[in-house]
Each structure stands twice: as structure tokens, then as C-alpha cells.
Amino acid sequence: MTAEAEELRAFPSPFSIETPEGCEGWEEMYPPWALFDERRREHDENRLWFWNSMHFPVPMPAFDMVEVDTPYYALGGWQNRAFAVPGAMGVDYRIVNGYVYISPNPVTDPEKIAERSRFFQQRAGYYYENWDELYARWRERMEALNREVSEIPVPGLPEYEPEAVVFEGGEPSWATLLASYRRALDCIERMWQYHFEFLLLGYGAYLTFSEFCKQALPDIPDQHISQMVAGIDVVLFRPDAELRRLARLAIDLGVAEAFREGRSPEEIEAELGRSDAGRRWLEELEKVKDPWFNMGTGDGLYHYYGSWHDDPSIPYSSLIGHIAALQAGEDIERPTRELAERRDRLVGEYEALMDEEARQTFRELLGLSRKVFPYVEEHKFYCDYWFQSRFFNKIREFGALLARHGFIEEGEDIFQLSRYEVMQALEELALTWSTGGEALGPHHWPQIVERRKRILKRLEEWTPPPALGRMPEAVVDPAIAMLWGVTPQQLQEWARAQRDGSGNELAGAAASPGEVEGTARVVRSLEEISEVRAGEILVCTSTSPAWAPIFSKIKATVTDIGGIMSHAAIVSREYGLPAVVGTGTATSRIKTGQRVRVDGTNGRVTVLDG
């Protein structure tokens, strides 16, 4: 093996990563099992760990770790213990300088794979056969859970208990407080249980279809397989459809001038409120908000993302773009007709290459993929956006209570404590409120909060390597390639970029066809989304379906992480935009304002200047 080949077989050892200056003690924010530990060195150092920047692009605050632990044991429970997916168990994770790295646990024993296949076929088959009925019941459960988490009471701990507690056997305030917090955590555990119940099957149907296509049609591109499942309407595109309708209404009512680039939502609404036509538009907006403003501003996995209710900058930025495009005579609709025509043309062309038996199997698997695919995107609206924004707002109520009693400086500080530490703070508050004693919490927690804020801010300045550990011979979990774009070829590209440094060309997965040139807009944080301007090329770590409204403004998408079925790839195809995903380093190698060429057909991005 050449020296170059050997160098490209390994990423940095996770045990070689140094703590950035000023971040000493960052480990205290995370549970011990989440860290690389010398006692597991041999096990951990000889496997691949890649930065899950698709879901966790910035360092994790202590409380937000509930969004790491809970989904990974829910994923493992369904994948490994319930459905027994033949080739994959669960996913291990580790925290490095606040960033989440993951490594899948494959099943490699052929006998074990065969054993699991029998379980999977029986259990997954039941879901596929009864999909519509089971999915309808799932929606009812999720809508009920979203109501439940909003309605959890957070008592104010009054000077004296109300008479109902004394005379009617009501629950004491301290007991309600502790039970309510436990109930909030129970709600998020159930949400993640619901989240993964159908998700694996949605991906599984597509993977089965993809594998069949590659066996029957060895030369078929991955892009063509995904295009045959494109152009299917899902609930996740409804919020943007409503924004497009509101944009037309603003023009029809003669109030479009209120929507000017650079204006805040508050400034726009203030101007609209000064005219009858503007007030009519605002009334229509209120009708749209329930439920469509439950869309999240990000993936929902950080406490500060919120929903469009909490931060309307994304929908208003989209409205500004839609109105400007309409006034310029442009078509702002998703190209669903063109997608359907391309989809049907591809299906016809590939069917013509098969014999009758293969054609029948092809049609059945394609039909199943199209049937179950909507869940792959729709679950995010119910779970990651609607629920998560309400869950974090409920936790804010507990934070406000702790702040009123001096345990933290302000309610938002609660997210600097782990979920276990929050319970400790609430238990002491319940104790000292009940007894009238002096609490230690106001002397203990504020200094911890301030130290962690400083550390997180410094950790955000650190650039994590895309992967750690040993390069695998093969990536056996197809979902890892499909969602994250982690393939042996792409890992080699990441390693080469790490070794050779900067260059003017990046390689990634060809996620959505087409070639365009334009000005790059690098978006690394939620606050920067509103800065995206019409005609720019979006460069980001990954996208969220919550960003869908800005896809009518941009010309193409480039991401650090992601495969052909990542959110960025799916949404780009649905909007007919070229996309290259899984480049590994786009956000660190491309600067806002640079001119770039995006070749979504061949998976190449070229920096043309600077």
C-alpha cells in the first residue's frame, strides 16, 4: 500500500483531539457515556465516527442532550429490537468538544442477518399491508401528544395553597411541579418513539426499490431512482403553498409595497395595520397560522430554533421573495408538473428495459415507495417542528419559575443545565418552598450557567473534522449512505481535502440534476437564513425542510453533509434546483459573495473566483 493510500485510510484519532483554549472542563456538560474514554479506547479508536452535522451542526447545550440520548435509544429500539432490520442495529454517539459524532453498529454475521430477516419481513410486512390505517392512527396520536405537552401545568408556587388542595383533596403544588417536569420528559420520550416507528419503514421501502433497480438495471444512476419517487405532494410543502397564496393576496389587495427587503416582520405588520386592505391581509394570515406556523425554523433539535410562531423571519423573508418574483413576472410554483413528467418518462424508459416478471416487481416496489414516502418528510412537521417547539416552550416555563426564585438569572438559562440537573434544581425548589428553608441553588447554579455559556461560545469557533477514527473497508448500512452521504468514495474525498487543504473544486453526491453559476451565500446559523437573497446559491452544513420557503429564491444548494435522500436533496428535487450534498467542507472552503458553479448532475462544485 502506498504512503498516500495509507494516509487516506485514517482520520484523526478521537483521542488526539485537543480541547480549544478556554474550553477546559467542557466534558461536565455531558453524561459520562457520551465521551471518548480510555477504557473504551481500543473499541472506539478502530472504527469510523463522523460528525452528524446534519442534525447537530453546533455544540450541544447541556439540556439539549435530551435530543441526542432519546432519539438514539428510540432509533435503536425500533431498528434493532422491534423490527430487527437485517443489516443494522443502532447508532453509537460520542461528544467531542461539544459536537456529536456517530458510528453505526452493523450486523455482519450471515446467520444473524438471516434470523433478523424473518422478524423484519413479518413485522414490516404488517405495517406495509396496513399502512393507511396505521398512519392515520399515528397522526391522531401525534396531534394528541402535541396538545398534551402544551397543556402540562407549571404551578407558580403561591404563598399559600389554594383551598382546593386543602378541602377538595387537590394535589399540592410541589407535587404538581415535579410530576409535570417528569411528564414533560415522558412526552419527549414518547415523541421520539412515534418519530421512528414509521420512519425506518419509509426508508426501508425506498432502499428495497433502490436495490432492486440496481440489480435489474446495473447502470442506473442513483439520481434517476430518486427522481422516480419525486413530485409527490406532502403536508410539509403546505406552509410554503400558503405563503405563495398570501403573496398573491398582498398584490391583489395593493399592499405589496409593505414587503420590502430588509424590513422586519414587526415593521411590515405595523404598516399593514394602518389600512383596511392591510388589515384584511393580516386577518388571512391569522387563519394560516394554525397549524401551518407550527413549522420549525430549524431541525428542532436545539432549544433556540422555535417555530414560525416564535420567529416569523423565515416566512416573512419568503413572502418578500415571492412578491418580488411575482412582480417580476416569474413563476413561483413548485414545478410539480415537470417533476411528474420527468418521473413518468423515466419509469416508462426503464420498464421498457425489463422483462415482464421484473417489470411487475418494479411496479410493486415503486408503488410501495410512493405510498410510504410522504411519511419520510411529513413526520418532521408533526414531530420535529410542531412538538419540539411546544416542548421547549414548556421547559421555558420551568426556567421562568427557577428564575423567579433566583436559581438562575433568566429563564433561558435552564438550557445550560442537563435534564438531570434541572430535576435537582426543581426538587430543591420544591423542598425549600415547602419548608421555608434557605436554598443553596441560587448560590450554586448561576455560576455553572455562566461558565457553560462561555465555553459553548468558544466551542462554536472550533471547526470539527468531518470524521474521526479508522476508514472502514465498506459502509454496510445503506441508510448511512442514503441520508448522510457517507460512502467509501466520499470518505476518501474528505480525507484528501483534509490532507491537501483548500482547492477550487469540491466533490459530493449528485443530489438533484442541473448546472448553474451564481453567488454563494454561506449560512451557518439560524439567524443567517433571512439574509439569503434571490438568485443566490445556498451553501450550508445541511438544510431542514423548515427552510423550504427559501428554495423558491435560490438557484442551487450545496451542503457539507447529506446523501441522495437527505432533506436538502429531497427539497431541491421538488423545487427543480441543482444540488450537491455531502461535500464535507463546503461551508469552510466557500465564502459568501464568491462566484461558484454547481453541477448537480455530476456532483461537483467549483469556486470560480477568490
Side-chain angles (χ1 to χ4, degrees):
M1 181 179 293
T2 66
E4 177 186 8
E6 180 60 31
E7 188 175 352
L8 293 179
R9 282 184 55 79
F11 290 98
S13 164
F15 293 88
S16 70
I17 303 300
E18 297 182 356
T19 295
E21 185 178 354
C23 299
E24 292 76 14
W26 64 265
E27 297 91 343
E28 74 168 42
M29 292 187 285
Y30 310 106
W33 64 79
L35 306 175
F36 283 106
D37 188 291
E38 284 291 338
R39 290 166 290 187
R40 290 189 297 204
R41 184 179 187 121
E42 183 176 357
H43 176 270
D44 284 0
E45 198 169 36
N46 290 295
R47 61 192 295 191
L48 175 75
W49 301 87
F50 65 91
W51 174 25
N52 186 3
S53 56
M54 176 185 293
H55 297 117
F56 308 110
V58 296
M60 298 300 295
F63 186 89
D64 296 8
M65 284 299 295
V66 72
E67 304 291 358
V68 182
D69 286 321
T70 314
Y72 283 134
Y73 61 65
L75 166 62
W78 281 110
Q79 180 168 279
N80 188 32
R81 303 301 181 183
F83 286 119
V85 173
M89 293 183 286
V91 173
D92 286 340
Y93 83 85
R94 301 286 186 267
I95 305 294
V96 180
N97 287 335
Y99 293 84
V100 180
Y101 282 75
I102 63 175
S103 182
N105 293 318
V107 182
T108 56
D109 180 1
E111 292 185 4
K112 196 67 176 177
I113 290 174
E115 173 187 304
R116 293 167 68 92
S117 294
R118 292 191 292 272
F119 281 95
F120 182 78
Q121 289 171 6
Q122 177 194 24
R123 297 178 180 189
Y126 173 80
Y127 271 74
Y128 291 141
E129 291 169 9
N130 300 279
W131 188 269
D132 290 339
E133 177 187 351
L134 294 173
Y135 187 23
R137 281 164 29 193
W138 180 92
R139 282 187 177 185
E140 292 176 358
R141 282 185 288 152
M142 268 310 307
E143 290 176 3
L145 183 62
N146 289 339
R147 291 191 298 270
E148 179 182 345
V149 74
S150 299
E151 295 167 358
I152 294 174
V154 180
L157 300 182
E159 179 69 15
Y160 301 104
E161 291 281 27
E163 291 185 353
V165 172
V166 180
F167 301 124
E168 300 174 19
E171 185 174 68
S173 297
W174 66 265
T176 299
L177 173 64
L178 300 181
S180 290
Y181 181 67
R182 286 191 292 264
R183 187 176 165 194
L185 296 182
D186 172 70
C187 282
I188 197 168
E189 289 173 355
R190 278 189 284 144
M191 185 280 287
W192 282 111
Q193 173 191 337
Y194 298 162
H195 179 284
F196 284 109
E197 180 182 357
F198 284 76
L199 185 60
L200 297 169
L201 301 178
Y203 289 138
Y206 178 84
L207 282 169
T208 303
F209 173 63
S210 176
E211 290 169 359
F212 172 82
C213 289
K214 291 178 180 179
Q215 291 174 1
L217 306 158
D219 296 327
I220 188 172
D222 286 339
Q223 204 170 77
H224 285 185
I225 299 173
S226 61
Q227 284 176 312
M228 287 189 283
V229 188
I232 299 173
D233 203 20
V234 297
V235 71
L236 207 56
F237 294 117
R238 178 69 181 276
D240 187 36
E242 291 295 329
L243 293 181
R244 294 196 298 270
R245 184 177 66 81
L246 288 171
R248 292 191 185 86
L249 180 62
I251 292 174
D252 293 342
L253 291 174
V255 297
E257 287 304 309
F259 297 85
R260 293 197 292 274
E261 201 76 71
R263 271 191 162 185
S264 69
E266 294 76 17
E267 291 170 329
I268 294 171
E269 291 184 4
E271 180 171 333
L272 292 171
R274 289 194 286 269
S275 69
D276 290 339
R279 287 190 289 271
R280 282 179 57 193
W281 189 92
L282 290 171
E283 289 172 3
E284 196 63 29
L285 172 67
E286 289 303 312
K287 297 176 185 176
V288 169
K289 286 183 176 180
D290 186 15
W292 306 118
F293 266 44
N294 286 306
M295 278 292 284
T297 54
D299 245 350
L301 302 177
Y302 292 88
H303 67 269
Y304 44 75
Y305 277 152
S307 70
W308 289 1
H309 288 292
D310 304 308
D311 179 6
S313 61
I314 289 180
Y316 270 95
S317 175
S318 301
L319 283 164
I320 292 170
H322 288 329
I323 290 170
L326 286 169
Q327 291 175 327
E330 298 174 11
D331 182 9
I332 64 171
E333 292 301 316
R334 282 175 49 229
T336 51
R337 181 176 178 180
E338 292 86 345
L339 289 171
E341 290 175 352
R342 183 187 304 158
R343 176 189 71 201
D344 296 341
R345 184 179 66 252
L346 286 171
V347 169
E349 290 172 354
Y350 284 119
E351 279 189 342
L353 301 176
M354 303 178 190
D355 59 34
E356 185 56 38
E357 181 179 354
R359 191 178 300 128
Q360 180 62 30
T361 303
F362 174 84
R363 289 171 179 167
E364 291 175 358
L365 293 177
L366 176 59
L368 179 61
S369 292
R370 290 178 176 176
K371 183 184 188 67
V372 305
F373 179 75
Y375 179 84
V376 172
E377 289 298 281
E378 288 186 357
H379 80 281
K380 298 191 72 62
F381 179 70
Y382 293 99
C383 299
D384 295 12
Y385 307 144
W386 195 340
F387 175 88
Q388 295 280 43
S389 59
R390 295 190 178 202
F391 168 74
F392 280 125
N393 282 341
K394 182 58 60 175
I395 298 302
R396 285 184 172 87
E397 294 183 37
F398 291 101
L401 179 66
L402 287 171
R404 286 198 298 273
H405 290 267
F407 278 60
I408 50 181
E409 293 294 327
E410 56 185 20
E412 205 71 5
D413 289 346
I414 193 172
F415 298 111
Q416 301 302 325
L417 307 180
S418 75
R419 61 190 186 274
Y420 310 110
E421 292 170 331
V422 171
M423 190 62 179
Q424 292 174 11
L426 291 173
E427 286 177 343
E428 191 197 8
L429 174 58
L431 171 68
T432 53
W433 172 80
S434 298
T435 65
E438 182 176 353
L440 180 63
H443 308 285
H444 178 71
W445 299 115
Q447 60 184 356
I448 292 175
V449 166
E450 290 308 309
R451 181 171 69 249
R452 291 177 180 177
K453 285 182 179 179
R454 290 195 302 270
I455 290 175
L456 284 173
K457 188 172 183 180
R458 294 295 297 272
L459 290 176
E460 287 182 7
E461 299 169 1
W462 183 69
T463 301
L468 300 169
R470 194 73 176 165
M471 188 87 69
E473 295 294 336
V475 177
V476 297
D477 187 343
I480 296 297
M482 185 177 71
L483 298 179
W484 281 278
V486 177
T487 64
Q489 297 80 12
Q490 199 56 40
L491 288 171
Q492 292 286 340
E493 290 285 350
W494 291 357
R496 189 170 288 107
Q498 172 184 279
R499 184 197 65 184
D500 298 341
S502 61
N504 73 327
E505 189 168 285
L506 296 81
S512 185
E515 182 175 326
V516 298
E517 294 183 8
T519 303
R521 171 69 65 173
V522 180
V523 173
R524 292 191 180 88
S525 68
L526 177 63
E527 293 74 18
E528 295 174 339
I529 296 174
S530 61
E531 298 174 8
V532 176
R533 298 293 179 257
E536 293 183 326
I537 290 174
L538 175 65
V539 181
C540 57
T541 300
S542 64
T543 69
S544 159
W547 297 13
I550 69 170
F551 278 74
S552 60
K553 299 173 63 174
I554 61 176
K555 294 174 69 173
T557 311
V558 180
T559 71
D560 288 342
I561 196 78
I564 59 168
M565 290 300 285
S566 64
H567 304 128
I570 291 171
V571 179
S572 293
R573 286 193 294 269
E574 293 295 334
Y575 280 81
L577 302 175
V580 178
V581 298
T583 64
T585 56
T587 58
S588 61
R589 294 170 62 185
I590 298 174
K591 308 300 181 187
T592 292
Q594 286 184 315
R595 190 142 186 98
V596 298
R597 180 189 302 121
V598 178
D599 180 356
T601 303
N602 297 300
R604 295 286 166 177
V605 181
T606 306
V607 180
L608 301 174
D609 62 25

